[in-house]
Amino acid sequence: MEKLNGAQQVVRVLEDLGVTRIFGYPGAAVTDIYDELYDSKKIVHTLARHEQGAVHMADGYARSTGKVGVSIVTSGPGATNTVTALATAYGDSIPLVLITGQVSTDLIGTDAFQEVDTMGVTRPVVKYSFLCKKPEDIAINIRKAFYIASTGRKGPVVVDIPKNCQNRAYLFDYDNKSDVHIRSYNPTIFGHKGQIKRAVTELLKAKQPVMLIGGGVVQGEASAEVLQIAKSLNLPVVSTLMGISGYPASDPQYLGMLGMHGLYEANETMHNSDLIFAVGTRFADRATNKVSKFCPNATIIHIDVDPASISKTVTANIPIVGDAKTVLTQILTELKEVDGKPNADINLWWDKINVFKQKHCLDFRKKDGIIRPQEVIQTLSKVCHELGINPYVTTDVGQHQMFTAQYFKFEQPRHFITSGGLGTMGLGFPAAIGAQFANPHDCVICISGDGSFQMNMQELAIVKKYKLPVKVFILDNSVLGMVRQFQTVFYHERYSATNLDGNPNFVKLVEAYDLKGIQITDDANLEEDFKKILLDKDNFTLVDVITDTNTKVMPWLRANGSMVDMMLNDEEK
Amino acid sequence: MRQIISILLENEVGALSRVVGLFSQRGYNIENITAAPTEDKTLSRITILTEGDGSVVERITKQLHKLVNVIKVSSQQDDSVGIVEREILFVKVQAVGHTQREEIKTLCDIFKAQIVDITPELYILQFVDTSFEVDRFLKAVAEQAEVIETVRSGVCGIFRGEHSLHS
Ligand SMILES: Cc1ncc(C[n+]2csc(CCOP(=O)(O)OP(=O)(O)O)c2C)c(N)n1
């Protein structure tokens, strides 16, 4: 066997696992590894400007490709700076491996310089973590970390490597065996046959069925199967925030996002259904509103790879544990077997749904002299479709995120990247950088808010250095819009700490990095302006769109109500 | 309802803290917990006593299963006959003078407890039984003598019959 030192083994095993890009930030506890990375011909390292940015980049890389995103940081502050980004990935089940340096084993527990209990600090926000107590643990733990991160319900995994385990003087056997077996970890892949039969029987019997897709469809690569089932039974399809892009938005059977800011027709269809065929969703509180009032007449078929997500909030009548793609394939086979046809009453159901659609809940009135945020997203989506650009779109968190979820038409999986579980302001821009590295020839757009963008804008340096053609659209409403909207409605317009006075001039800000920025204050030529920006394929542009401060995201579910306790946009139409 | 959860897991760095963390993170209560390696040193066995109705315990069990290092989880309501459970109690009591010392000794005989350490003024008593009996014994001791200190191990349990975490 080949003899390599610990630091070499880190790099070699990553190479052997097919890693070609790492996002990181060096420090004393990882200098040996960085020295080895310097010579790697297979791995390109990108130096972020903040560890949170680095892990968000790896996250965007992972979300846009389905591959495991990889990051490396130093001990202590390097590790603690990644916590929000790990929690973000954990919240949305994104496969990441984070390698952290640690103080030498003989110093662990002594409050040494830059020592922090990384395993302890990250434990609640990762799928698993390893501490390499000896150099011989390194390669196997990294292999296990990749396996755990990318199978079952995916998620981030930390591998903590003490400095002395990376020691360049100590050479030992490098084990290049690639198979990993963990006896305590065996995710279920195939759905239970009896349950599949029951599910199909119910599905064919249902007069008012609806298919509900979640992030599991996107992360589990199950879009094609979802489409096939929806088509063969003429099912309406509703998506959670994380399921967006899992079903083509232009398809007439697609009703859009459900939940807190979901579409009227999506929420009404859910509420009035007699069967919910749910795939890869965890029935999160933002999706269901009050669980006890959730869809009172519906039988629930729930497919999920994570048994703990089934009947956690909403009780499933037919639970099926397994991988989304595999289980849906089993269902398709069973449908063929029994010659499953759309229910005889499905057209009556569609008649009702089409009435829901007549509400036109997303219609809005233009305002004189100020751009409506909805208009920006609607136009951007339209222009992209017209130009045949199929962009990866990342968002931050706030009104702009919800408007993007509502108005942007996503046609292909993985093209919508947002923090749904944790709701992390600051994900959007670094995730766009990660997605652009992974998809150098595609258009990547970050839709942000003037609040959120400032959470990770230090990463502009990466755009400058690598000449990344990311397009950033800031919906610049001068406030923390989403919080302010709450204050308007529930706090008698007492705008406590939501005014962003002191904002920079974003155009000048990017100019300081020799990057292009433009400000748009007038919607007269919005389409033309956007076309020009998007056709400039090779250059970064930050577009600071000044938008209305008072626009609210609608529809809006009333707290503790059912899915149809909705406030609508009527006054603004 | 009182529930006993048995967990077989990989004896790895942070194994116990993951289990305990899960309880605190999800707002579940641990009444008591015991943990030790099994005959196979790479495995640990944990017994947890918790309060909660069936659905809560089912949720806890699922979450425990989900932990990457957990091999098997089983839960049992204590009122069923499915499990043998024991707790060990040590109690240090004031034992001064012949009469009191004899009285405590008699009490120990009745309960099948043992005196495991003595000084001229103190006894350490050891008692092994179900938590319910431990409570009873402790109460009886306290009526008889001044209790200086007690320590309980927490519940340790094993399923009756063929059911085994190791299969
Ligand atoms: C890191 C973080 N801090 C705070 C919040 C709470 N929060 C949710 S939305 C929001 C306002 C976002 O403002 P902005 O980015 O300007 O977007 P807008 O709502 O105006 O579109 C805040 C503060 C959060 N989600 N994430």
Side-chain angles (χ1 to χ4, degrees), chain A residues 383-430:
Chain A
V383 167
C384 284
H385 277 251
E386 280 172 13
L387 295 176
I389 294 172
N390 177 25
Y392 289 90
V393 175
T394 73
T395 77
D396 278 296
V397 173
Q399 293 184 315
H400 64 275
Q401 176 191 35
M402 290 300 119
F403 287 133
T404 306
Q406 294 174 332
Y407 290 86
F408 206 103
K409 303 252 176 288
F410 293 96
E411 301 298 334
Q412 273 182 27
R414 300 199 174 283
H415 282 251
F416 177 55
I417 294 173
T418 199
S419 171
L422 198 70
T424 308
M425 293 169 70
L427 169 78
F429 182 46

Short mmCIF file of all heavy atoms in Angstrom, two decimals, chain A residues 383-430:
data_model
loop_
_atom_site.label_atom_id
_atom_site.label_comp_id
_atom_site.label_asym_id
_atom_site.label_seq_id
_atom_site.Cartn_x
_atom_site.Cartn_y
_atom_site.Cartn_z
N VAL A 383 -38.81 37.56 -19.15
CA VAL A 383 -37.66 37.84 -20.01
C VAL A 383 -36.78 36.59 -20.16
O VAL A 383 -36.33 36.27 -21.25
CB VAL A 383 -36.85 39.03 -19.46
CG1 VAL A 383 -35.50 39.16 -20.14
CG2 VAL A 383 -37.64 40.32 -19.60
N CYS A 384 -36.57 35.90 -19.07
CA CYS A 384 -35.77 34.67 -19.13
C CYS A 384 -36.41 33.67 -20.09
O CYS A 384 -35.74 33.08 -20.93
CB CYS A 384 -35.63 34.04 -17.75
SG CYS A 384 -34.45 34.91 -16.70
N HIS A 385 -37.73 33.50 -19.98
CA HIS A 385 -38.42 32.55 -20.86
C HIS A 385 -38.30 32.99 -22.32
O HIS A 385 -38.02 32.19 -23.20
CB HIS A 385 -39.89 32.42 -20.46
CG HIS A 385 -40.10 31.46 -19.32
ND1 HIS A 385 -40.69 30.23 -19.48
CD2 HIS A 385 -39.76 31.53 -18.02
CE1 HIS A 385 -40.72 29.59 -18.31
NE2 HIS A 385 -40.15 30.37 -17.41
N GLU A 386 -38.47 34.28 -22.54
CA GLU A 386 -38.40 34.79 -23.92
C GLU A 386 -37.02 34.61 -24.52
O GLU A 386 -36.87 34.32 -25.69
CB GLU A 386 -38.79 36.27 -23.95
CG GLU A 386 -40.29 36.46 -23.93
CD GLU A 386 -40.69 37.92 -23.78
OE1 GLU A 386 -39.81 38.81 -23.93
OE2 GLU A 386 -41.88 38.16 -23.50
N LEU A 387 -36.02 34.79 -23.69
CA LEU A 387 -34.64 34.67 -24.20
C LEU A 387 -34.17 33.21 -24.22
O LEU A 387 -33.05 32.93 -24.64
CB LEU A 387 -33.68 35.50 -23.33
CG LEU A 387 -33.87 37.01 -23.35
CD1 LEU A 387 -32.90 37.67 -22.37
CD2 LEU A 387 -33.65 37.57 -24.75
N GLY A 388 -35.02 32.32 -23.73
CA GLY A 388 -34.60 30.92 -23.69
C GLY A 388 -33.51 30.67 -22.65
O GLY A 388 -32.76 29.71 -22.74
N ILE A 389 -33.42 31.57 -21.67
CA ILE A 389 -32.46 31.38 -20.59
C ILE A 389 -33.16 30.60 -19.48
O ILE A 389 -34.27 30.94 -19.09
CB ILE A 389 -31.99 32.73 -20.02
CG1 ILE A 389 -31.20 33.49 -21.09
CG2 ILE A 389 -31.14 32.54 -18.77
CD1 ILE A 389 -30.87 34.91 -20.67
N ASN A 390 -32.52 29.56 -19.00
CA ASN A 390 -33.11 28.78 -17.93
C ASN A 390 -32.20 28.92 -16.71
O ASN A 390 -31.33 28.10 -16.47
CB ASN A 390 -33.21 27.32 -18.40
CG ASN A 390 -33.76 26.42 -17.32
OD1 ASN A 390 -34.48 26.86 -16.43
ND2 ASN A 390 -33.39 25.16 -17.40
N PRO A 391 -32.38 30.00 -15.98
CA PRO A 391 -31.37 30.33 -14.97
C PRO A 391 -31.48 29.52 -13.68
O PRO A 391 -32.55 29.00 -13.37
CB PRO A 391 -31.68 31.79 -14.66
CG PRO A 391 -33.15 31.90 -14.84
CD PRO A 391 -33.51 30.94 -15.96
N TYR A 392 -30.37 29.41 -12.99
CA TYR A 392 -30.41 29.00 -11.59
C TYR A 392 -30.70 30.27 -10.80
O TYR A 392 -30.01 31.27 -10.97
CB TYR A 392 -29.06 28.43 -11.14
CG TYR A 392 -28.77 27.08 -11.76
CD1 TYR A 392 -28.10 26.98 -12.97
CD2 TYR A 392 -29.18 25.92 -11.13
CE1 TYR A 392 -27.84 25.75 -13.55
CE2 TYR A 392 -28.93 24.68 -11.70
CZ TYR A 392 -28.25 24.60 -12.90
OH TYR A 392 -28.02 23.37 -13.46
N VAL A 393 -31.73 30.22 -9.99
CA VAL A 393 -32.10 31.42 -9.23
C VAL A 393 -31.94 31.13 -7.74
O VAL A 393 -32.51 30.18 -7.22
CB VAL A 393 -33.56 31.83 -9.51
CG1 VAL A 393 -33.97 33.00 -8.63
CG2 VAL A 393 -33.73 32.18 -10.99
N THR A 394 -31.12 31.94 -7.08
CA THR A 394 -31.01 31.83 -5.63
C THR A 394 -31.73 33.03 -5.02
O THR A 394 -31.85 34.07 -5.66
CB THR A 394 -29.55 31.83 -5.15
OG1 THR A 394 -29.02 33.16 -5.27
CG2 THR A 394 -28.70 30.86 -5.95
N THR A 395 -32.20 32.86 -3.79
CA THR A 395 -32.79 34.01 -3.10
C THR A 395 -32.24 34.08 -1.69
O THR A 395 -31.64 33.14 -1.19
CB THR A 395 -34.32 33.93 -2.97
OG1 THR A 395 -34.64 33.01 -1.92
CG2 THR A 395 -34.99 33.50 -4.26
N ASP A 396 -32.49 35.21 -1.07
CA ASP A 396 -32.28 35.31 0.36
C ASP A 396 -33.63 35.10 1.03
O ASP A 396 -34.46 34.39 0.50
CB ASP A 396 -31.61 36.65 0.70
CG ASP A 396 -30.11 36.53 0.47
OD1 ASP A 396 -29.49 35.73 1.18
OD2 ASP A 396 -29.57 37.21 -0.43
N VAL A 397 -33.81 35.74 2.18
CA VAL A 397 -35.05 35.48 2.90
C VAL A 397 -35.80 36.79 3.13
O VAL A 397 -35.21 37.79 3.53
CB VAL A 397 -34.76 34.78 4.24
CG1 VAL A 397 -36.02 34.66 5.08
CG2 VAL A 397 -34.19 33.41 3.97
N GLY A 398 -37.07 36.75 2.85
CA GLY A 398 -37.88 37.95 3.03
C GLY A 398 -38.95 38.00 1.97
O GLY A 398 -39.30 36.99 1.35
N GLN A 399 -39.47 39.20 1.74
CA GLN A 399 -40.52 39.37 0.74
C GLN A 399 -40.05 38.96 -0.65
O GLN A 399 -40.75 38.30 -1.40
CB GLN A 399 -40.97 40.83 0.71
CG GLN A 399 -41.67 41.29 1.98
CD GLN A 399 -42.17 42.71 1.84
OE1 GLN A 399 -41.46 43.60 1.35
NE2 GLN A 399 -43.40 42.95 2.26
N HIS A 400 -38.81 39.36 -0.97
CA HIS A 400 -38.30 39.06 -2.32
C HIS A 400 -38.28 37.56 -2.58
O HIS A 400 -38.49 37.09 -3.68
CB HIS A 400 -36.89 39.64 -2.48
CG HIS A 400 -35.88 39.02 -1.56
ND1 HIS A 400 -35.70 39.44 -0.26
CD2 HIS A 400 -35.06 37.98 -1.73
CE1 HIS A 400 -34.79 38.68 0.31
NE2 HIS A 400 -34.38 37.78 -0.56
N GLN A 401 -38.04 36.79 -1.50
CA GLN A 401 -38.01 35.33 -1.60
C GLN A 401 -39.40 34.79 -1.93
O GLN A 401 -39.57 33.94 -2.82
CB GLN A 401 -37.54 34.76 -0.26
CG GLN A 401 -37.54 33.24 -0.16
CD GLN A 401 -37.33 32.76 1.27
OE1 GLN A 401 -37.80 33.40 2.22
NE2 GLN A 401 -36.63 31.67 1.44
N MET A 402 -40.39 35.30 -1.22
CA MET A 402 -41.76 34.84 -1.45
C MET A 402 -42.26 35.28 -2.82
O MET A 402 -42.92 34.51 -3.53
CB MET A 402 -42.68 35.38 -0.35
CG MET A 402 -42.44 34.73 1.00
SD MET A 402 -42.72 32.93 0.92
CE MET A 402 -41.14 32.30 1.36
N PHE A 403 -41.93 36.51 -3.22
CA PHE A 403 -42.33 36.95 -4.56
C PHE A 403 -41.69 36.07 -5.63
O PHE A 403 -42.31 35.74 -6.64
CB PHE A 403 -41.96 38.43 -4.78
CG PHE A 403 -42.83 39.39 -4.01
CD1 PHE A 403 -42.27 40.43 -3.27
CD2 PHE A 403 -44.22 39.25 -4.03
CE1 PHE A 403 -43.08 41.31 -2.56
CE2 PHE A 403 -45.03 40.13 -3.32
CZ PHE A 403 -44.46 41.16 -2.59
N THR A 404 -40.45 35.68 -5.40
CA THR A 404 -39.78 34.81 -6.37
C THR A 404 -40.49 33.46 -6.43
O THR A 404 -40.76 32.92 -7.51
CB THR A 404 -38.30 34.61 -6.00
OG1 THR A 404 -37.69 35.90 -5.85
CG2 THR A 404 -37.56 33.83 -7.08
N ALA A 405 -40.82 32.93 -5.25
CA ALA A 405 -41.51 31.64 -5.19
C ALA A 405 -42.87 31.72 -5.89
O ALA A 405 -43.32 30.76 -6.52
CB ALA A 405 -41.68 31.21 -3.74
N GLN A 406 -43.51 32.87 -5.80
CA GLN A 406 -44.85 33.00 -6.38
C GLN A 406 -44.84 33.33 -7.87
O GLN A 406 -45.63 32.79 -8.63
CB GLN A 406 -45.62 34.13 -5.67
CG GLN A 406 -45.94 33.86 -4.21
CD GLN A 406 -46.58 35.07 -3.55
OE1 GLN A 406 -46.34 36.22 -3.94
NE2 GLN A 406 -47.39 34.84 -2.53
N TYR A 407 -43.93 34.20 -8.27
CA TYR A 407 -44.02 34.76 -9.63
C TYR A 407 -43.02 34.19 -10.63
O TYR A 407 -43.21 34.32 -11.82
CB TYR A 407 -43.86 36.29 -9.60
CG TYR A 407 -45.02 37.01 -8.97
CD1 TYR A 407 -45.09 37.20 -7.60
CD2 TYR A 407 -46.07 37.47 -9.75
CE1 TYR A 407 -46.16 37.85 -7.01
CE2 TYR A 407 -47.15 38.12 -9.17
CZ TYR A 407 -47.19 38.31 -7.80
OH TYR A 407 -48.26 38.95 -7.23
N PHE A 408 -41.96 33.62 -10.16
CA PHE A 408 -40.97 33.11 -11.12
C PHE A 408 -41.37 31.71 -11.55
O PHE A 408 -41.73 30.87 -10.71
CB PHE A 408 -39.57 33.09 -10.50
CG PHE A 408 -38.48 33.18 -11.54
CD1 PHE A 408 -37.80 34.37 -11.76
CD2 PHE A 408 -38.14 32.07 -12.33
CE1 PHE A 408 -36.81 34.46 -12.74
CE2 PHE A 408 -37.15 32.16 -13.30
CZ PHE A 408 -36.49 33.36 -13.51
N LYS A 409 -41.34 31.47 -12.85
CA LYS A 409 -41.76 30.16 -13.36
C LYS A 409 -40.54 29.27 -13.57
O LYS A 409 -39.75 29.48 -14.48
CB LYS A 409 -42.49 30.33 -14.69
CG LYS A 409 -43.70 31.25 -14.60
CD LYS A 409 -45.00 30.45 -14.70
CE LYS A 409 -46.22 31.30 -14.53
NZ LYS A 409 -46.44 31.77 -13.14
N PHE A 410 -40.41 28.28 -12.68
CA PHE A 410 -39.27 27.37 -12.77
C PHE A 410 -39.67 26.12 -13.54
O PHE A 410 -40.71 25.52 -13.27
CB PHE A 410 -38.78 26.99 -11.37
CG PHE A 410 -38.18 28.15 -10.64
CD1 PHE A 410 -38.95 28.90 -9.76
CD2 PHE A 410 -36.86 28.52 -10.86
CE1 PHE A 410 -38.40 29.99 -9.09
CE2 PHE A 410 -36.31 29.60 -10.20
CZ PHE A 410 -37.08 30.34 -9.31
N GLU A 411 -38.83 25.73 -14.47
CA GLU A 411 -39.18 24.60 -15.33
C GLU A 411 -38.36 23.36 -15.04
O GLU A 411 -38.75 22.26 -15.38
CB GLU A 411 -38.99 24.99 -16.81
CG GLU A 411 -39.83 26.19 -17.25
CD GLU A 411 -41.33 25.94 -17.13
OE1 GLU A 411 -41.75 24.78 -17.19
OE2 GLU A 411 -42.08 26.94 -16.93
N GLN A 412 -37.20 23.53 -14.43
CA GLN A 412 -36.32 22.37 -14.23
C GLN A 412 -35.84 22.26 -12.80
O GLN A 412 -35.54 23.26 -12.16
CB GLN A 412 -35.09 22.51 -15.14
CG GLN A 412 -35.33 21.94 -16.52
CD GLN A 412 -34.09 22.03 -17.37
OE1 GLN A 412 -32.98 22.03 -16.85
NE2 GLN A 412 -34.29 22.13 -18.67
N PRO A 413 -35.74 21.00 -12.31
CA PRO A 413 -35.32 20.81 -10.92
C PRO A 413 -33.94 21.41 -10.63
O PRO A 413 -33.10 21.51 -11.54
CB PRO A 413 -35.29 19.29 -10.76
CG PRO A 413 -35.41 18.72 -12.13
CD PRO A 413 -36.09 19.74 -12.97
N ARG A 414 -33.75 21.78 -9.39
CA ARG A 414 -32.51 22.34 -8.87
C ARG A 414 -32.28 23.79 -9.27
O ARG A 414 -31.27 24.37 -8.94
CB ARG A 414 -31.28 21.52 -9.30
CG ARG A 414 -31.34 20.07 -8.83
CD ARG A 414 -29.98 19.42 -8.85
NE ARG A 414 -30.06 18.09 -8.25
CZ ARG A 414 -30.11 17.87 -6.93
NH1 ARG A 414 -30.04 18.89 -6.10
NH2 ARG A 414 -30.21 16.66 -6.47
N HIS A 415 -33.24 24.38 -10.02
CA HIS A 415 -33.00 25.73 -10.49
C HIS A 415 -33.49 26.81 -9.53
O HIS A 415 -33.29 27.98 -9.77
CB HIS A 415 -33.59 25.91 -11.90
CG HIS A 415 -32.71 25.29 -12.94
ND1 HIS A 415 -31.99 26.04 -13.84
CD2 HIS A 415 -32.38 24.00 -13.19
CE1 HIS A 415 -31.27 25.24 -14.61
NE2 HIS A 415 -31.50 23.99 -14.24
N PHE A 416 -34.13 26.39 -8.45
CA PHE A 416 -34.55 27.37 -7.44
C PHE A 416 -33.83 27.02 -6.14
O PHE A 416 -33.99 25.92 -5.60
CB PHE A 416 -36.06 27.29 -7.25
CG PHE A 416 -36.59 28.21 -6.17
CD1 PHE A 416 -36.32 29.57 -6.19
CD2 PHE A 416 -37.38 27.71 -5.14
CE1 PHE A 416 -36.82 30.41 -5.20
CE2 PHE A 416 -37.89 28.54 -4.15
CZ PHE A 416 -37.61 29.90 -4.19
N ILE A 417 -33.03 27.95 -5.65
CA ILE A 417 -32.20 27.68 -4.48
C ILE A 417 -32.52 28.69 -3.40
O ILE A 417 -32.31 29.90 -3.58
CB ILE A 417 -30.71 27.73 -4.88
CG1 ILE A 417 -30.40 26.57 -5.83
CG2 ILE A 417 -29.81 27.70 -3.64
CD1 ILE A 417 -29.01 26.60 -6.43
N THR A 418 -33.05 28.20 -2.29
CA THR A 418 -33.49 29.12 -1.24
C THR A 418 -33.41 28.41 0.10
O THR A 418 -33.40 27.19 0.17
CB THR A 418 -34.94 29.57 -1.55
OG1 THR A 418 -35.21 30.77 -0.83
CG2 THR A 418 -35.98 28.52 -1.16
N SER A 419 -33.35 29.18 1.16
CA SER A 419 -33.31 28.59 2.49
C SER A 419 -34.73 28.49 3.02
O SER A 419 -35.31 29.49 3.45
CB SER A 419 -32.43 29.45 3.41
OG SER A 419 -32.55 29.01 4.74
N GLY A 420 -35.28 27.28 2.99
CA GLY A 420 -36.66 27.09 3.42
C GLY A 420 -36.76 26.72 4.88
O GLY A 420 -37.53 27.29 5.63
N GLY A 421 -35.97 25.78 5.31
CA GLY A 421 -36.06 25.26 6.66
C GLY A 421 -35.61 26.26 7.69
O GLY A 421 -36.30 26.55 8.66
N LEU A 422 -34.41 26.81 7.49
CA LEU A 422 -33.86 27.73 8.49
C LEU A 422 -34.24 29.18 8.19
O LEU A 422 -34.32 29.99 9.09
CB LEU A 422 -32.33 27.58 8.56
CG LEU A 422 -31.70 28.15 9.83
CD1 LEU A 422 -32.04 27.31 11.04
CD2 LEU A 422 -30.19 28.28 9.69
N GLY A 423 -34.45 29.48 6.92
CA GLY A 423 -34.76 30.86 6.55
C GLY A 423 -33.59 31.78 6.79
O GLY A 423 -33.67 32.77 7.52
N THR A 424 -32.48 31.47 6.16
CA THR A 424 -31.23 32.19 6.41
C THR A 424 -31.02 33.34 5.45
O THR A 424 -30.73 33.13 4.27
CB THR A 424 -30.04 31.22 6.28
OG1 THR A 424 -30.27 30.08 7.10
CG2 THR A 424 -28.74 31.91 6.70
N MET A 425 -31.16 34.58 5.95
CA MET A 425 -30.72 35.72 5.16
C MET A 425 -29.21 35.57 4.96
O MET A 425 -28.50 35.25 5.91
CB MET A 425 -30.97 37.03 5.92
CG MET A 425 -32.42 37.39 6.12
SD MET A 425 -32.59 38.77 7.30
CE MET A 425 -31.92 40.15 6.35
N GLY A 426 -28.74 35.78 3.77
CA GLY A 426 -27.30 35.68 3.52
C GLY A 426 -26.91 34.46 2.74
O GLY A 426 -25.76 34.33 2.32
N LEU A 427 -27.83 33.53 2.52
CA LEU A 427 -27.50 32.34 1.71
C LEU A 427 -27.36 32.70 0.23
O LEU A 427 -26.48 32.20 -0.46
CB LEU A 427 -28.58 31.27 1.85
CG LEU A 427 -28.46 30.10 0.83
CD1 LEU A 427 -27.37 29.13 1.26
CD2 LEU A 427 -29.76 29.36 0.63
N GLY A 428 -28.24 33.58 -0.24
CA GLY A 428 -28.42 33.77 -1.67
C GLY A 428 -27.17 34.07 -2.47
O GLY A 428 -26.88 33.38 -3.46
N PHE A 429 -26.42 35.08 -2.04
CA PHE A 429 -25.28 35.50 -2.86
C PHE A 429 -24.16 34.46 -2.89
O PHE A 429 -23.74 34.03 -3.98
CB PHE A 429 -24.80 36.88 -2.39
CG PHE A 429 -23.68 37.44 -3.19
CD1 PHE A 429 -23.70 37.39 -4.59
CD2 PHE A 429 -22.56 38.01 -2.57
CE1 PHE A 429 -22.65 37.90 -5.34
CE2 PHE A 429 -21.51 38.52 -3.30
CZ PHE A 429 -21.55 38.47 -4.69
N PRO A 430 -23.67 33.98 -1.75
CA PRO A 430 -22.65 32.93 -1.84
C PRO A 430 -23.15 31.66 -2.52
O PRO A 430 -22.39 31.00 -3.25
CB PRO A 430 -22.26 32.66 -0.39
CG PRO A 430 -23.19 33.41 0.47
CD PRO A 430 -23.86 34.44 -0.36
#
